[in-house]
């Protein structure tokens, strides 16, 4: 009986995946190229410890004519700011931990 249940589960999994792959529409992935460019730019900026995110001029020009792209850029700027704030808090927390280990009190950073 357990063997039958196992084979049935595999059949449902493979059959479900096969049906999904045959019937799914992935035409919506066309805008991924622009999103990938924006994500890559933000990640490079975060890696370089920049204080603000910048975008290529051609992307900014395209955003003036495309509201969806402009919204993506705003979202990336907000995400960058949130991650920068989180990074600052993590650095401060790790500094406090290090000082606790060394036995020295630390004043809060402003």
């Amino acid at each position: 009986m357990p063997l039958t249940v196992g084979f049935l589960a595999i059949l449902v999994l493979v059959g479900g995946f096969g049906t999904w792959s045959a019937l799914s529409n992935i035409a919506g992935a066309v805008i991924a190229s622009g999103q990938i460019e924006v994500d890559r730019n933000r990640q490079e900026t975060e890696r370089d410890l920049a204080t603000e995110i910048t975008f290529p001029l051609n992307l900014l020009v395209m955003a003036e004519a495309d509201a969806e792209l402009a919204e993506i850029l705003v979202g990336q700027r907000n995400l960058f700011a949130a991650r920068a704030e989180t990074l600052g808090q993590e650095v401060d927390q790790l500094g406090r931990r290090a000082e606790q280990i060394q036995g020295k009190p630390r004043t809060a950073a402003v």
Side-chain angles (χ1 to χ4, degrees), residues 24-88:
S24 65
N25 181 8
I26 57 172
V30 173
I31 62 167
S33 176
Q35 182 66 37
I36 290 170
E37 176 69 26
V38 171
D39 284 343
R40 184 178 57 114
N41 185 282
R42 179 184 42 78
Q43 290 170 348
E44 288 174 359
T45 304
E46 289 174 350
R47 178 200 66 209
D48 297 339
L49 299 175
T51 57
E52 66 179 44
I53 189 169
T54 57
F55 299 104
L57 182 59
N58 65 338
L59 194 60
L60 295 173
V61 170
M62 289 174 17
E64 291 176 4
D66 186 349
E68 186 176 350
L69 178 57
E71 186 178 322
I72 290 171
L73 295 182
V74 168
Q76 292 298 313
R77 284 186 178 111
N78 292 340
L79 181 59
F80 178 82
R83 287 186 175 179
E85 181 180 345
T86 300
L87 178 62

Side-chain angles (χ1 to χ4, degrees), residues 89-109:
Q89 291 170 352
E90 288 177 2
V91 168
D92 187 50
Q93 183 179 20
L94 289 172
R96 286 194 305 267
R97 282 185 187 174
E99 289 175 356
Q100 286 176 348
I101 291 170
Q102 295 171 355
K104 300 175 185 175
R106 181 175 185 224
T107 59

